[in-house]
Amino acid sequence: MKRLFLLFVFIPYLAFAQADAARYVCPPCNNVCDTLTFQQPGQCPHCGMTLIAKNQQVPKDQKTTICFYLYDGVEVLDFAGPMEVFSYAGFKVITVAKTKAPLLSQGILKIIPDYSIKDAPQTDIFAVFGGSDDVAVNDPEVISWIQSREKFTKNYFSVCTGAFILGKAGLLDKLTVTTFHKSIVNLQKVVPTAKVLKDVRYVDNGRVITTAGISAGIDGALHLVSKLRGKEVAIAVAKHMEYDKYIPEQGMDLTTNTLNH
């Protein structure tokens, strides 16, 4: 009788545990679905991402972190497009500038950086963007700061003429890279040991990804998300953004020797 009683008590508990273990969640995308749970695997009905088991969810303190270095005159879409991509993909994005004083992007948008180069934390990825890039290129203190983070940074990412900033820091030497279509020749002069390509959306050297101008930063960011989170996540992010131009594996990936225009 005692065994039968224990059986009646244990079975509902086991069923509850199994039901709880079977719950699925949407990968973090900074949307309302981040707080929802689902009983069955499949696609999130809100953002389209592939659901994952709740016990596979990445803790907030283990998210991939990315530093967006910004400056006065930075191109809006250069950083805003990739910021949208990385944010929806669940990365932790921080903005850093030389100081915490407000910046002006293209004479229009005011930006208040999260950190200055004096107190910015280390991140997994370091990203720079085009616009008035000479503001950073011609600032020895900024270039020295970028170089000082080299041994802690897993990946570098540049959009448009942000490549000149990485080049000044010595991070493009002997690499195959790209930049804004009107700046190809100039970048080749600035970094003579690099091979600067035209007519390619991005070039992936493994640790360093450089992209062509402005909207190409979205493609490069989706490519990086695909590398780190999987192709399905990148496709879901592009779908959520209604970015129908995205083609997986577009561009030049030197780690797989693939090239698609």
Side-chain angles (χ1 to χ4, degrees), residues 79-209:
F79 75 86
M83 182 177 284
E84 185 99 353
V85 171
F86 292 128
S87 176
Y88 278 126
F91 291 24
K92 180 181 178 180
V93 181
I94 65 169
T95 56
V96 180
K98 184 174 182 179
T99 71
K100 292 182 182 178
L103 306 172
L104 198 59
S105 175
Q106 290 185 258
I108 304 169
L109 178 67
K110 282 189 177 180
I111 305 165
I112 300 176
D114 296 321
Y115 301 94
S116 73
I117 62 175
K118 301 294 185 183
D119 62 0
Q122 295 292 343
T123 56
D124 299 308
I125 305 167
F126 181 80
V128 285
F129 311 92
S132 302
D133 49 273
D134 57 320
V135 171
V137 169
N138 296 326
D139 191 326
E141 188 177 359
V142 170
I143 299 302
S144 177
W145 173 75
I146 294 173
Q147 292 170 330
S148 72
R149 299 167 66 89
E150 196 271 338
K151 65 180 180 180
F152 301 104
T153 303
K154 296 177 182 177
N155 295 96
Y156 289 93
F157 179 80
S158 73
V159 178
C160 198
T161 55
F164 285 81
I165 301 173
L166 295 186
K168 186 61 179 264
L171 295 163
L172 303 185
D173 293 345
K174 299 181 181 180
L175 297 183
T176 300
V177 300
T178 193
T179 186
F180 183 52
H181 66 96
K182 292 184 177 180
S183 301
I184 297 290
V185 174
N186 194 25
L187 182 60
Q188 187 67 80
K189 292 178 181 177
V190 171
V191 191
T193 64
K195 182 179 181 181
V196 186
L197 302 180
K198 62 180 181 179
D199 299 326
V200 63
R201 296 292 279 178
Y202 62 79
V203 180
D204 180 0
N205 287 273
R207 190 185 184 200
V208 179
I209 295 175

